[in-house]
Amino acid sequence: VELDDLNLTSFAATMTFLLETLSSGGKGNQSVVFILDEFDLFTQHHNQHLLYNLFDLSQSKSTPLAVVGPTCRQDVMELMEKRVKSRFSHRQLYLYGPDTFDSYMVVVEELL
């Protein structure tokens, strides 16, 4: 399917296409990782439809899908609607950055 040939004029149409495409895969398909940077901003959308569908789809064994949501907010779980939270796997990883710029630069230099 060519993306130019699709009539994705609304969020609903785009979401339907995305969900059908992702759920049509089999065991031989490649994994897909969605990185939703500033994850807390996605919780501010009405009905959190995107989050609900991505989390729901990620629970299916036939869809190799992961959702990663980096955020600075530690209360992000409280921002999710109950139905969205029920689809979430509750795997959280807390990372804390260096306290000073000098210690940050040490980490960056070690990674280079």
Side-chain angles (χ1 to χ4, degrees), residues 80-91:
M80 286 193 279
E81 293 180 358
K82 185 178 178 180
R83 68 188 187 101
V84 175
K85 200 182 300 185
S86 72
R87 297 292 189 264
F88 180 61
S89 68
H90 299 285
R91 293 182 196 161

Side-chain angles (χ1 to χ4, degrees), residues 4 7-9 15-16 20 28 32-33 44 52 56-58 61 63 68 71 77 83 85 89 91 94 96 100 107 109:
D4 295 334
N7 187 16
L8 303 177
T9 56
M15 181 58 82
T16 300
E20 287 174 359
V32 177
V33 178
Q44 296 175 9
Y52 178 82
D56 190 46
L57 199 56
S58 70
K61 291 182 180 182
T63 308
V68 178
T71 183
M77 290 294 296
R83 68 188 187 101
K85 200 182 300 185
S89 68
R91 293 182 196 161
Y94 293 98
Y96 298 97
T100 65
V107 170
E109 289 172 1

Side-chain angles (χ1 to χ4, degrees), residues 1 11-12 24-25 29 31 33 39 41 44 46-47 50 53-54 62 68 70-71 82 88-89 91 100-101:
V1 175
F11 176 79
S24 67
N29 286 3
S31 299
V33 178
F39 182 80
L41 297 179
Q44 296 175 9
H46 180 68
N47 291 336
L50 176 66
N53 284 301
L54 286 176
S62 65
V68 178
T71 183
K82 185 178 178 180
F88 180 61
S89 68
R91 293 182 196 161
T100 65
F101 182 73

Side-chain angles (χ1 to χ4, degrees), residues 9-76:
T9 56
S10 69
F11 176 79
T14 305
M15 181 58 82
T16 300
F17 169 74
L18 179 64
L19 293 175
E20 287 174 359
T21 302
L22 290 172
S23 62
S24 67
K27 291 184 179 181
N29 286 3
Q30 297 217 347
S31 299
V32 177
V33 178
F34 283 92
I35 300 175
L36 305 178
D37 196 24
E38 296 189 46
F39 182 80
D40 53 290
L41 297 179
F42 288 90
T43 64
Q44 296 175 9
H45 289 266
H46 180 68
N47 291 336
Q48 300 176 0
H49 191 66
L50 176 66
L51 295 178
Y52 178 82
N53 284 301
L54 286 176
F55 288 156
D56 190 46
L57 199 56
S58 70
Q59 291 182 347
S60 169
K61 291 182 180 182
S62 65
T63 308
L65 171 72
V67 179
V68 178
T71 183
C72 294
R73 299 209 35 185
Q74 292 186 353
D75 65 341
V76 73

